[in-house]
Amino acid sequence: MSWQSYIDDHLMCEIDGQTLTAAAIVGNEGGVWAQSESFPQFKPEEINAIINDFAEPGSLAPTGLYLGNAKYMVIQGEPGAVIRGKKGSGGITVKKTNLALIIGIYDEPMTPGQCNIIVERLGDYLLEQGF
């Protein structure tokens, strides 16, 4: 299965009639493995800051999580495993696996919980597969 099919079939899928706004799988070195057409253009330092927060949980909280000209207020997550952010009526969930970051971005009417389920379910599956 290609990485793009994980985006198309598992991240950009419909859940309770809702769909993520954008999604990507980014390697721990910062390279994009696959992404939705709607995923924002981001700077390498934005991904590096996210990777750093997994190594040093809480490092993004004072400044926020930036991704593609958008700033997300970091809210509760799971240190070293999941970062969650909020921006207006939308937000972001980032799940870390052994080799990559699974990133989902949502807007209302999707709920934060729905986004978390989609992103974290795929992340848990990839962890089980050794990725």
Side-chain angles (χ1 to χ4, degrees):
M1 183 180 281
S2 77
W3 290 112
Q4 190 62 46
S5 63
Y6 282 104
I7 298 290
D8 300 338
D9 301 338
H10 300 285
L11 291 174
M12 298 301 290
C13 63
E14 195 174 285
I15 180 170
D16 298 330
Q18 307 304 320
T19 309
L20 290 173
T21 306
I25 301 174
V26 179
N28 286 339
E29 331 71 48
V32 176
W33 293 6
Q35 67 184 32
S36 64
E37 286 183 29
S38 55
F39 198 77
Q41 187 69 36
F42 61 87
K43 300 179 183 104
E45 55 268 22
E46 294 171 332
I47 296 297
N48 291 338
I50 294 169
I51 292 168
N52 185 57
D53 191 80
F54 283 113
E56 298 172 33
S59 64
L60 283 176
T63 59
L65 183 160
Y66 286 86
L67 190 67
N69 295 328
K71 178 182 178 181
Y72 298 88
M73 179 178 67
V74 177
I75 55 177
Q76 60 83 30
E78 296 168 32
V82 179
I83 299 170
R84 297 183 185 109
K86 188 89 174 115
K87 176 180 158 281
S89 60
I92 188 168
T93 301
V94 184
K95 170 77 175 179
K96 184 182 186 315
T97 69
N98 295 327
L99 302 175
L101 304 175
I102 314 304
I103 304 171
I105 299 172
Y106 69 94
D107 285 304
E108 279 188 336
M110 179 172 265
T111 66
Q114 290 169 320
C115 178
N116 295 343
I117 288 168
I118 292 170
V119 172
E120 294 175 38
R121 187 186 299 151
L122 178 60
D124 290 341
Y125 169 77
L126 291 174
L127 279 167
E128 289 169 12
Q129 303 305 308
F131 290 104

